[in-house]
Amino acid sequence: MEQAEHSSRTPAQAGLDLAELYQCVHCGLCLNACPTYRALRIESESPRGRIHLVRAAAEGRIELNQGFAGHLNLCLMCRACETACPSGVKYGRIAEAARAAIGPPGSKLGRAIANLAFTRLLPFPARLRAAARLLRLYQRSGAERMMRWILPRRLSDMSAMLPAVPRRFFAPDAEILAPIGVRRARVGMLGGCVMSVLFSAVDEATLRVLRKNGCEVVLPKNQLCCGALNIHNGETVAAKEMARRNIDAFLAFDLDAIVVNAAGCGAAMKEYGYLLRDDPAYAEKAERFAALVKDAGEFLFSLGIVAPTAAVGLSVTYQDPCHLAHGQKVRSQPRALLQAIPGIKLLEMNTPDRCCGSAGIYNITHSAMSQELLQEKMRSIAATGATAVVAPNPGCMLQLRYGASRYGPPVEVFHLMDLLDRAYGGS
Ligand code: SF4
Ligand code: SF4
């Protein structure tokens, strides 16, 4: 994969369609939806303020200096402003192009590490699995516990956020798995980079749930990480190559849908058409691919699920992952599926679609703001009295598990597919 390129490009040179910027009429209706504006009450930390800054940069009135980067990087990319905007401004596209112009956030060393991860690790499943095995060794040898005493607080917090790496990663023996019962659909499934190593049990649950709902499931062996982390952090060179490889891998099969169980990945894959719009060899294929992408809950709801019969006695609250609610506009379907599970009592929290502060690597790069949002989220969860939270996205699950252990309440955190799988009797 090619090395990422950034630096002194303007947002337009980084691929921003300027018409997106001029769609903003500066009404300010997005301000109170924005977590960073709500926390700081500063215009430059609001969607409108950031759009002003990007426009000024695009028109050559300001430089892409550290101040500019600071405002763009404090944004969580949660896209709550898109939901609030009556003019249909696609803030995510604007911010992604601005970030592509300035490069990944953090110190020089942090940026170099991030670039290395984006271009030399994420696109290579074998390397990613080798890195996960090393992490498992670090966790199980006792070195992690020791390092928590030695490392500065911020680094030891980061270490505490990592889940225990499972012994087995998601790696089904076959590329095509038959449905259980009558075939109702033929779907591709994204294993995902983080999901397949850190949340392999969720991938396995998703596969069982799909098959039990009559899906023949195709897991193309050439599939890769979707590139969402790259895109959100301004790295588009490797991201485009990963998109092309996924398009080739999945479109080699005749599929009714491409099912994704991670909200951030699904949102990025639904935008492959936009990402590759200037690539004559892939633009049409990318649109075709994007039209097939469905969140797992969205897909199962539209298919109509086989009624689950095993009772799951839990009172749960549902956290809308930002890239599912704001990015994909999927809100009611996961709730409907939860309510179809016998024994589940759904208790809504206040502002369930407000960001929990995870936001990809934001909880590492902007830990103070991330923790403030997490504490607010944990208070909302506590107010429901629920004993479990459902959040169908790996970043949210990690963040909420950390929140439960550090701030309470001591809720269990599940993926929607975990609970559906239980209700179908599991493995
Ligand atoms: S994406 Fe989220 S944090 Fe960023 S400007 Fe929009 S609402 Fe604010
Ligand atoms: S982004 Fe939308 S809601 Fe926000 S100021 Fe612009 S037009 Fe108004």
Side-chain angles (χ1 to χ4, degrees):
M1 292 257 168
E2 282 178 70
Q3 193 70 38
E5 287 172 11
H6 310 289
S7 68
S8 48
R9 294 185 298 165
T10 66
Q13 285 164 341
L16 176 62
D17 181 352
L18 294 180
E20 304 271 2
L21 278 175
Y22 301 137
Q23 214 168 321
C24 172
V25 296
H26 318 302
C27 64
L29 289 170
C30 54
L31 267 59
N32 280 316
C34 173
T36 56
Y37 179 78
R38 288 179 58 258
L40 300 168
R41 297 281 156 192
I42 302 170
E43 175 73 13
S44 52
E45 304 302 355
S46 75
R48 181 175 65 183
R50 292 185 178 114
I51 291 170
H52 264 303
L53 286 171
V54 178
R55 182 168 174 172
E59 293 171 352
R61 289 183 281 116
I62 61 166
E63 291 190 6
L64 301 184
N65 56 19
Q66 278 200 341
F68 176 89
H71 297 305
L72 266 295
N73 287 334
L74 189 67
C75 165
L76 294 133
M77 302 293 278
C78 68
R79 296 170 64 182
C81 45
E82 290 189 17
T83 298
C85 176
S87 303
V89 173
K90 294 196 168 57
Y91 172 85
R93 291 180 178 179
I94 294 171
E96 279 164 9
R99 285 186 173 193
I102 57 184
S107 63
K108 223 171 168 183
L109 177 66
R111 290 159 69 105
I113 293 171
N115 260 331
L116 209 64
F118 295 147
T119 60
R120 302 277 180 240
L121 189 63
L122 293 179
F124 300 95
R127 291 183 198 172
L128 195 66
R129 285 168 185 230
R133 279 188 198 100
L134 283 177
L135 180 58
R136 179 174 156 83
L137 192 66
Y138 166 72
Q139 289 175 333
R140 293 182 64 85
S141 64
E144 187 197 27
R145 269 195 305 280
M146 199 172 75
M147 291 305 279
R148 281 195 203 167
W149 292 99
I150 298 168
L151 291 172
R153 177 67 189 260
R154 187 157 167 252
L155 289 177
S156 97
D157 280 354
M158 278 165 53
S159 184
M161 271 186 197
L162 290 169
V165 179
R167 190 167 57 84
R168 272 167 34 111
F169 302 145
F170 180 64
D173 300 334
E175 200 173 24
I176 300 177
L177 293 116
I180 294 169
V182 177
R183 184 176 115 162
R184 300 167 69 205
R186 188 178 204 232
V187 303
M189 178 182 154
L190 181 83
C193 58
V194 174
M195 287 304 276
S196 66
V197 296
L198 295 185
F199 291 95
S200 53
V202 176
D203 269 357
E204 276 156 17
T206 306
L207 179 58
R208 281 191 293 271
V209 169
L210 287 169
R211 294 179 70 201
K212 285 180 181 172
N213 275 283
C215 296
E216 181 181 13
V217 183
V218 181
L219 291 142
K221 58 178 182 298
N222 294 332
Q223 64 173 293
L224 291 181
C225 160
C226 68
L229 275 177
N230 298 51
I231 297 165
H232 297 156
N233 290 286
E235 193 296 307
T236 51
V237 178
K240 285 182 182 173
E241 190 50 29
M242 287 144 92
R244 289 185 197 102
R245 300 242 190 123
N246 277 327
I247 290 167
D248 288 341
F250 282 95
L251 291 190
F253 298 89
D254 185 20
L255 302 170
D256 298 317
I258 297 167
V259 175
V260 184
N261 61 10
C265 306
M269 291 164 75
K270 284 181 179 180
E271 290 272 310
Y272 273 5
Y274 182 76
L275 182 70
L276 295 174
R277 67 197 182 284
D278 296 325
D279 181 336
Y282 276 86
E284 181 275 327
K285 281 193 278 186
E287 285 292 353
R288 200 152 32 93
F289 175 98
L292 287 172
V293 176
K294 297 276 178 286
D295 169 72
E298 176 188 23
F299 171 76
L300 285 164
F301 179 81
S302 67
L303 183 71
I305 59 168
V306 172
T309 51
V312 179
L314 276 177
S315 59
V316 307
T317 188
Y318 179 77
Q319 163 68 14
D320 286 285
C322 298
H323 284 93
L324 199 53
H326 305 302
Q328 301 183 53
K329 315 296 178 209
V330 172
R331 293 166 182 267
S332 60
Q333 301 93 321
R335 289 176 167 83
L337 294 182
L338 274 175
Q339 283 170 316
I341 298 175
I344 289 268
K345 185 174 174 196
L346 180 61
L347 304 163
E348 288 287 352
M349 70 174 100
N350 275 332
T351 55
D353 63 353
R354 189 168 287 163
C355 184
C356 65
S358 168
I361 57 170
Y362 188 93
N363 51 7
I364 300 170
T365 58
H366 296 83
S367 126
M369 178 64 77
S370 167
Q371 292 305 307
E372 188 175 329
L373 297 173
L374 178 57
Q375 287 180 63
E376 185 187 6
K377 180 59 64 185
M378 298 317 294
R379 286 193 290 273
S380 300
I381 291 169
T384 65
T387 56
V389 191
V390 174
N393 190 50
C396 312
M397 291 174 73
L398 289 178
Q399 178 87 338
L400 294 172
R401 279 182 187 159
Y402 178 73
S405 69
R406 176 145 184 209
Y407 306 115
V411 284
E412 288 185 278
V413 180
F414 293 105
H415 192 285
L416 172 63
M417 294 300 127
D418 289 328
L419 297 187
L420 271 176
D421 184 44
R422 273 198 201 183
Y424 286 123
S427 56

